[in-house]
Amino acid sequence: MSERDVEKNIDLICIDDSKCIVCGACVAVCPTEALIIEGLTLKSVPERCRPCGQAALVCPTGALRCPQKGEKSKNG
Ligand code: SF4
């Protein structure tokens, strides 16, 4: 895991930059716009996340970990 991964290992969405190909599939499926693409980078907006787990399900590379409702965050 890189330093960037650690920075992005926030409460609800964990993005593994080494796996993300910035395809936008997770952005398209997220119902609360908790994932956005800025430039060539996927970013998360944790305060928008309502942990439904949909983004992780559609990721073709396994780059996302989105805890589902009821799952305890590592950081919390
Ligand atoms: S679906 Fe996966 S590979 Fe595509 S932008 Fe989202 S995290 Fe990256």
Side-chain angles (χ1 to χ4, degrees):
M1 194 183 279
S2 73
E3 278 182 33
R4 233 174 97 77
D5 296 332
V6 174
E7 277 175 30
K8 293 172 99 176
N9 189 6
I10 47 177
D11 283 351
L12 297 174
I13 308 170
C14 181
I15 302 166
D16 185 342
D17 285 335
S18 68
K19 293 181 180 174
C20 179
I21 57 173
V22 197
C23 69
C26 57
V27 176
V29 78
C30 178
T32 60
E33 299 182 353
L35 289 157
I36 55 174
I37 292 174
E38 280 185 10
L40 297 176
T41 307
L42 178 70
K43 296 188 174 181
S44 62
V45 186
E47 60 269 25
R48 291 184 187 164
C49 183
R50 304 289 175 268
C52 64
Q54 290 187 53
L57 283 178
V58 300
C59 178
T61 64
L64 275 183
R65 183 174 176 276
C66 302
Q68 303 216 355
K69 284 174 188 158
E71 183 178 343
K72 272 219 155 192
S73 162
K74 276 187 192 171
N75 299 333

